[in-house]
Amino acid sequence: RNLKMASRQKPNVGVIYSESNNLSKESKNMAHYFLGLLSSSGYAHTYMIPFQSDGSPLSSLPSVRRIYYCSDNTLSKKPTEVPSSDFTYAHWSTLQSCHFILITVNTSDTVLCCKKLADLLTNNKNITVFSVQRGVKNSSTVKDELAGQPGLTVVEGVVGFAVLFNQRFNTYVPTIPTTAVLFERLSADAARVANGPLNLLESTNLTVYYRKIITRTHFLGAF
C-alpha cells in the first residue's frame, strides 16, 4: 500500500484502553505502544481514552508525562520519546471527532466498551474501528457488538504480541523482536473507508497480515 494521507491536517486517532484493572496492565501497555507507533509515523494526533470497567467517566484524566517506547524487544537502541504534542489524554466525547479508533481494552471490558461506543457514535460519519487486542474472540465480539451501527466500519484484528513496561528504562517494550497484527481481508465497501487508516498503520514498524477470516488456526498460521 502507498501512504496517502492528507497533508493539511493530521487524522485524529482514538485509542481506548482499560484504566481501572489493577490486576493487568496489558491493555494500558498495548495502548501506549500503539501510541508510540502512531507518533513515529508523523501522520497522526492520538487521543488516549481511558475506560473504567463499570463504564463510568473518570473524575480526572491521567496527567501528561514522558512516554518512551521501543519498536522491538532488544533495547539495543535508545528508547524513543513520544512528543507531548503528539497525544492528549481525553474524555469519551473526543471520539466523535476521531477519524479512526483502536480498541485495546482488556477482554473483560470489551462488551461494555463497545456498548458505550455504540451509544456515543450515533451519527453517520465514517469512522473505522479496529480491534487490536490479544485473543481471537475479542475481535469477533467487537464486530458483533457494533454490527449495523451507522457510519462505523469495524475491522477485526488480533495482535501477536504483548507489551511490558520496563521499569529500569521507563519504556514500553514488546515481547517479541518483530511485532505484527492480523486483520481480516476487507470487502470493497469496507476498504473504501478503512484504506487510509490501514495505510497509516502499515507505515509504522508494525507488520500487518491479512486473512479472509480470523480463527485460531488462521492466527497461529500467520505468524
Side-chain angles (χ1 to χ4, degrees):
R1 295 174 186 267
N2 294 320
L3 183 62
K4 297 178 180 179
M5 304 302 298
S7 59
R8 288 179 297 177
Q9 179 184 3
K10 291 182 179 181
N12 295 328
V13 184
V15 180
I16 307 174
Y17 67 94
S18 295
E19 172 67 33
S20 55
N21 192 332
N22 294 322
L23 299 178
S24 173
K25 301 298 183 184
E26 178 176 316
S27 167
K28 184 180 291 187
N29 293 348
M30 185 70 70
H32 286 82
Y33 179 75
F34 270 92
L35 166 62
L37 292 177
L38 291 164
S39 172
S40 69
S41 76
Y43 288 99
H45 184 84
T46 304
Y47 290 96
M48 302 294 287
I49 312 294
F51 176 80
Q52 297 211 104
S53 296
D54 61 0
S56 62
L58 290 177
S59 56
S60 61
L61 292 169
S63 57
V64 175
R65 56 188 173 82
R66 290 181 180 271
I67 293 175
Y68 299 88
Y69 87 106
C70 282
S71 59
D72 59 40
N73 70 340
T74 62
L75 285 172
S76 58
K77 299 179 181 179
K78 183 180 179 180
T80 302
E81 181 177 359
V82 179
S84 59
S85 59
D86 282 0
F87 74 99
T88 306
Y89 288 104
H91 291 291
W92 271 73
S93 58
T94 308
L95 291 169
Q96 294 173 317
S97 64
C98 287
H99 298 88
F100 69 95
I101 296 168
L102 304 181
I103 295 177
T104 73
V105 298
N106 292 322
T107 298
S108 58
D109 290 336
T110 301
V111 171
L112 186 56
C113 171
C114 290
K115 291 184 182 301
K116 186 172 181 177
L117 194 60
D119 289 340
L120 176 70
L121 303 178
T122 56
N123 56 28
N124 293 318
K125 178 182 176 182
N126 287 329
I127 300 175
T128 306
V129 179
F130 295 93
S131 168
V132 285
Q133 301 160 273
R134 297 178 71 203
V136 173
K137 289 185 178 180
N138 285 321
S139 63
S140 58
T141 299
V142 171
K143 193 152 196 174
D144 290 345
E145 290 295 328
L146 297 177
Q149 190 74 10
L152 296 187
T153 297
V154 182
V155 180
E156 290 189 62
V158 58
V159 295
F161 60 97
V163 177
L164 304 176
F165 184 72
N166 186 299
Q167 297 281 356
R168 178 182 176 186
F169 295 98
N170 194 34
T171 300
Y172 292 97
V173 184
T175 53
I176 59 177
T178 303
T179 56
V181 62
L182 175 65
F183 288 128
E184 65 172 316
R185 197 171 296 158
L186 301 180
S187 66
D189 288 341
R192 278 191 285 271
V193 178
N195 193 54
L198 285 169
N199 285 340
L200 194 154
L201 291 174
E202 289 183 358
S203 75
T204 69
N205 288 324
L206 192 68
T207 300
V208 179
Y209 297 99
Y210 296 91
R211 293 292 184 271
K212 186 174 182 180
I213 57 174
I214 298 179
T215 65
R216 180 176 174 79
T217 301
H218 287 87
F219 169 68
L220 293 174
F223 299 101

